[in-house]
C-alpha cells in the first residue's frame, strides 16, 4: 500500500497522547516526515499547540522512512498538496520527486546517513527552544545514531514522535500503522526518550546522546554504551538489514519467491521471555521455514553458505563457504568490561 494513513488504533493512540503528553504547552515548532501517517500523527497528537497557539508544522523530507517499499514511499507532491490544502502543514521544503527513492533519497546507508546528518544540522540551527519531530522507527536509529534493540519490534510500521529541547534533550513517543515491514526497530509504541546534542563536538555531524535521566528511566543502572560500542552495534544492525535487502533484490531479479518471518532470539528475547531461544522460535523454524538468516546454534556444527552468480552475470561463480559454528547466541549489544 503506497503511503498509508494511520489505522483506527493508531488514531486512538494519538488522541490518548494528546490528553496525556506533558510537554504540549511548551512546544514552539513541530517537524514531521512528509509521509501521510506521520503528518496525521502530528495533527492528531498536538491539537492544542496547532489550533490554539498556532504552532507551525513543517514537513522535512529528510525525515522520510528509509525503505523503498510502497508503504515507506511518500505521495507525489501535487497529490499531497491537494490532500493537505485545508490542514495546517507547511510543505514548502518538500520538493518535486522527494518520493522517488533514488539519488539523495535512495534507501542506501550512505544516502540515509547524509540526509539525517543534514536533518540534525537543520534542527540545531533552529531558533526554537522546544521542537516536536514526528518520524519513523528505522529513520530514528540513523538520526540518533542509537541502534539499541534495532531488531526488537517488527511486523508493524511505527511513526515516532520526537520532542526536541536544545540543551535539554529530545523526547520520543511512538504510534503505529500495522503493516508488514522489512526491518525491525528498537522503538515501542508510546515510548519516549530524551536526547541532547553533544557539546564541543567538532565538525558538522550534530550528534545526539541520550540524557542520563532518560537512560535511567529506560535501562535502570545499566552502564551506557561507549562511543566505540555504539559504533559496533550500528554496524551489526546495518549488516542484518542489508542481508534482508540483498535477498529481496535477488527475489526481484531472479524470479525467486521469498517470504520472511521475524522471530525473537538472543538477548532481546531473553529480556522479554526469559529465554534466549524461545520454544516458539524453534517450533516456527522447524515447521514453517526453509532457512534462517543469522540463525546460529540450531544444532549445527557448521554454517554452509553456497554462493552462485545469477544467470545474467557475465562471470559465473559456484562455490561454498563453510564457517565454524561453535559460538553461542549473540547478545547484539556487544560490550567490553
Amino acid at each position: 500500500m503506497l503511503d498509508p494513513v494511520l489505522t483506527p488504533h493508531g488514531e486512538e493512540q494519538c488522541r490518548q497522547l494528546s490528553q496525556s503528553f506533558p510537554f504540549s504547552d511548551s512546544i514552539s515548532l513541530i517537524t514531521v516526515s512528509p509521509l501521510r501517517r506521520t503528518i496525521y500523527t502530528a495533527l492528531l497528537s498536538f491539537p492544542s499547540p496547532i489550533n490554539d497557539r498556532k504552532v507551525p508544522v513543517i514537513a522535512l523530507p529528510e525525515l522520510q522512512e528509509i525503505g523503498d517499499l510502497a508503504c515507506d514511499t511518500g505521495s507525489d507532491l501535487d497529490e499531497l498538496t491537494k490532500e493537505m490544502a485545508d490542514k495546517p502543514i507547511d510543505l514548502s521544503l518538500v520538493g518535486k520527486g522527494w518520493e522517488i527513492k533514488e539519488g539523495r533519497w535512495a534507501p542506501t546507508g550512505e544516502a540515509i546517513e547524509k540526509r539525517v546528518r543534514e536533518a540534525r544540522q537543520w534542527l540545531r540551527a533552529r531558533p526554537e527552544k522546544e521542537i516536536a519531530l514526528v518520524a519513523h522507527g528505522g529513520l530514528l536509529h540513523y538520526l540518533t545514531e542509537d541502534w539499541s534493540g534495532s531488531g526488537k519490534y517488527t511486523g508493524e510500521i511505527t511513526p515516532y514522535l520526537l520532542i526536541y529541547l536544545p540543551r535539554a534533550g529530545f523526547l520520543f513517543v511512538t504510534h503505529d500503522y500495522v503493516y508488514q515491514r522489512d526491518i525491525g526497530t528498537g522503538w515501542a509504541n508510546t515510548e519516549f526518550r530524551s536526547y541532547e546534542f553533544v557539546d564541543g563536538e567538532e565538525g558538522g555531524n550534530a550528534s545526539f546522546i541520550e540524557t542520563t535521566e532518560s537512560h535511567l528511566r529506560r535501562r535502570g543502572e545499566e552502564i551506557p554504551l561507549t562511543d566505540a560500542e555504539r559504533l559496533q552495534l550500528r554496524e551489526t544492525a546495518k549488516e542484518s538489514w542489508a542481508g534482508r535487502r540483498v535477498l529481496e533484490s535477488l527475489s526481484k531479479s531472479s524470479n525467486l519467491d521469498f517470504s520472511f518471518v521475524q522471530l525473537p532470539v538472543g538477548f532481546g528475547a531473553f529480556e522479554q521471555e526469559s529465554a534466549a531461544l524461545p520454544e516458539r522460535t524453534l517450533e516456527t523454524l522447524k515447521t514453517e521455514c526453509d532457512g534462517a538468516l543469522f540463525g546460529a546454534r540450531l544444532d549445527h556444527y557448521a554454517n554452509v553458505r553456497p554462493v552462485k552468480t545469477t544467470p545474467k552475470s557475465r562471470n559465473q561463480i559456484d562455490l561454498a563457504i563453510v564457517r565454524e559454528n561453535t559460538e553461542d547466541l549473540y547478545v547484539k549489544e556487544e560490550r567490553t568490561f
Side-chain angles (χ1 to χ4, degrees):
M1 181 184 298
L2 179 68
D3 197 8
V5 296
L6 291 169
T7 63
H9 178 58
E11 292 177 349
E12 179 58 29
Q13 286 184 312
C14 292
R15 295 187 187 97
Q16 292 177 8
L17 178 67
S18 70
Q19 300 298 317
S20 61
F21 191 70
F23 303 103
S24 294
D25 291 341
S26 57
I27 294 169
S28 52
L29 173 67
I30 301 170
T31 306
V32 303
S33 158
L35 272 74
R36 296 162 70 208
R37 62 184 181 270
T38 38
I39 291 176
Y40 285 112
T41 295
L43 296 178
L44 290 171
S45 299
F46 298 110
S48 178
I50 295 172
N51 300 324
D52 299 338
R53 296 194 290 113
K54 308 304 180 185
V55 171
V57 184
I58 300 177
L60 191 65
E62 285 79 5
L63 300 178
Q64 66 178 280
E65 185 59 290
I66 62 176
D68 59 356
L69 296 176
C71 56
D72 293 335
T73 302
S75 300
D76 173 81
L77 180 57
D78 291 339
E79 296 178 1
L80 188 63
T81 301
K82 182 178 179 180
E83 179 176 346
M84 301 298 166
D86 61 344
K87 297 175 177 60
I89 173 75
D90 181 353
L91 298 174
S92 62
L93 297 180
V94 183
K96 278 282 190 180
W98 78 278
E99 80 284 5
I100 299 174
K101 300 288 187 169
E102 298 176 354
R104 174 180 177 78
W105 313 115
T108 64
E110 182 179 1
I112 295 166
E113 288 175 348
K114 183 177 186 297
R115 61 180 182 260
V116 298
R117 182 168 58 251
E118 293 173 353
R120 289 194 300 266
Q121 293 167 346
W122 186 88
L123 286 168
R124 188 169 62 178
R126 295 294 307 187
E128 293 85 3
K129 182 180 179 181
E130 298 185 10
I131 302 175
L133 185 154
V134 184
H136 312 270
L139 183 283
L140 282 182
H141 284 299
Y142 279 94
L143 185 70
T144 65
E145 301 175 293
D146 182 351
W147 295 82
S148 301
S150 57
K152 189 173 182 180
Y153 299 102
T154 58
E156 57 185 17
I157 289 177
T158 44
Y160 293 77
L161 171 65
L162 154 66
I163 304 298
Y164 163 56
L165 304 85
R167 304 301 178 189
F170 288 83
L171 303 178
F172 297 82
V173 184
T174 68
H175 291 274
D176 76 328
Y177 175 85
V178 178
Y179 195 88
Q180 186 63 38
R181 68 174 298 127
D182 63 331
I183 54 176
T185 179
W187 298 86
N189 292 336
T190 65
E191 176 186 2
F192 68 92
R193 308 178 190 181
S194 61
Y195 287 74
E196 59 189 358
F197 283 114
V198 177
D199 289 331
E201 182 188 44
E202 297 181 0
N205 195 51
S207 295
F208 302 157
I209 187 169
E210 188 171 11
T211 64
T212 300
E213 178 277 330
S214 178
H215 181 84
L216 287 173
R217 175 170 43 78
R218 292 195 311 115
R219 308 300 292 256
E221 297 296 328
E222 178 183 302
I223 299 174
L225 297 177
T226 65
D227 290 343
E229 290 165 346
R230 290 176 63 188
L231 179 61
Q232 184 178 16
L233 181 59
R234 181 190 71 176
E235 295 306 313
T236 300
K238 288 168 63 177
E239 286 177 7
S240 177
W241 290 8
R244 172 68 180 267
R245 293 194 182 281
V246 167
L247 291 176
E248 289 176 336
S249 297
L250 182 62
S251 176
K252 295 176 182 178
S253 63
S254 303
N255 295 320
L256 299 175
D257 184 18
F258 289 117
S259 60
F260 298 91
V261 179
Q262 294 275 5
L263 299 170
V265 69
F267 187 65
F270 180 80
E271 285 186 308
Q272 296 182 49
E273 305 187 25
S274 300
L277 188 59
E279 286 298 323
R280 65 185 180 95
T281 294
L282 279 175
E283 184 62 25
T284 301
L285 284 170
K286 292 176 181 178
T287 60
E288 301 180 21
C289 301
D290 297 313
L293 184 63
F294 299 102
R297 292 296 295 171
L298 299 176
D299 292 328
H300 303 154
Y301 66 89
N303 189 336
V304 182
R305 303 180 181 181
V307 179
K308 289 186 178 182
T309 49
T310 58
K312 296 180 181 180
S313 298
R314 180 174 302 175
N315 298 317
Q316 296 296 305
I317 297 175
D318 187 354
L319 61 87
I321 300 172
V322 180
R323 173 177 177 265
E324 63 82 21
N325 201 36
T326 56
E327 79 280 1
D328 211 325
L329 289 166
Y330 298 126
V331 174
K332 289 193 70 178
E333 294 191 22
E334 288 81 357
R335 301 300 303 268
T336 55
F337 298 92

